[in-house]
Amino acid sequence: MRLKIVYLLLPLTLLADILPFQTIEKANEAYKKGEYKKSAKLFKSLNKDDPAVAYDEANAYYKAGAYDKALESYKKAEGIDEATRKHNIGNSYFKKDDLDSAIKSYEEALKIRDDEDTRYNLELAKRKKEEKKKKEQEQKKKQDNKKDDKKKEE
């Protein structure tokens, strides 16, 4: 009788292994078709403790423009090619215009592995930060000049 129980449970075990695989396939297909939100939703339905699943989910969220969700998932994907993961975290922060965090992430990625794309993105983030700072200074200067002009008129 024990043999029959094992025999009956075996198909359930095989089915449990097949279902996540099918979901991964569907998620990857959706990603390839540019259906990033659908892909992210499918990845999210899988094992949340698996860093590889979290990484794929993060990539789908990033492509869908959901940068906060991408960051959440990238942070859960520790252990998956750390240099690339940090690079992608930097990209997500860059897209959110959080340049300080982007710069920090790119620098962390470069400590792990030197990479031309990461160096390029780091320099781009630094330039954008500098431009943003100059623009803010110009706006402040204009506001100060307007205040001075009003005082002169009085």
Side-chain angles (χ1 to χ4, degrees):
M1 189 147 197
R2 278 188 180 175
L3 205 53
K4 289 180 183 177
I5 293 172
V6 171
Y7 181 73
L8 290 175
L9 291 178
L10 186 61
L12 293 176
T13 306
L14 291 175
L15 184 62
D17 288 340
I18 291 171
L19 290 177
F21 179 75
Q22 290 174 334
T23 303
I24 291 169
E25 290 236 333
K26 288 178 184 176
N28 285 330
E29 285 175 29
Y31 186 90
K32 287 176 187 171
K33 291 178 182 176
E35 298 170 349
Y36 303 117
K37 287 182 181 178
K38 179 180 178 182
S39 176
K41 186 177 179 181
L42 288 166
F43 279 123
K44 191 167 186 71
S45 74
L46 295 168
N47 182 358
K48 295 177 185 358
D49 296 331
D50 185 349
V53 171
Y55 185 78
D56 290 339
E57 177 185 34
N59 288 336
Y61 278 133
Y62 178 86
K63 289 285 193 172
Y67 304 116
D68 288 325
K69 288 182 178 182
L71 284 166
E72 272 181 47
S73 295
Y74 280 131
K75 289 175 183 177
K76 293 176 188 174
E78 272 190 60
I80 302 293
D81 187 3
E82 282 301 299
T84 301
R85 187 177 75 89
K86 295 282 187 181
H87 173 98
N88 290 348
I89 288 171
N91 287 349
S92 297
Y93 280 125
F94 186 89
K95 290 288 193 173
K96 289 173 43 90
D97 206 32
D98 183 348
L99 299 174
D100 289 329
S101 296
I103 289 167
K104 181 182 175 200
S105 294
Y106 293 139
E107 288 172 342
E108 289 173 358
L110 289 169
K111 285 178 187 174
I112 298 167
R113 181 178 60 236
D114 189 38
D115 175 73
E116 186 178 331
D117 289 338
T118 304
R119 272 188 275 117
Y120 176 84
N121 287 3
L122 174 61
E123 292 307 313
L124 184 64
K126 286 179 176 180
R127 272 196 314 271
K128 187 173 179 183
K129 181 181 175 181
E130 190 61 36
E131 289 170 7
K132 189 176 177 181
K133 186 177 176 181
K134 284 180 183 177
K135 198 178 262 187
E136 287 171 357
Q137 288 172 343
E138 288 173 10
Q139 286 176 341
K140 187 179 183 319
K141 192 174 181 178
K142 284 181 184 178
Q143 288 175 347
D144 290 346
N145 288 339
K146 284 182 183 179
K147 287 179 185 176
D148 289 342
D149 289 345
K150 284 184 180 180
K151 285 182 182 178
K152 288 178 186 177
E153 290 176 6
E154 293 175 355

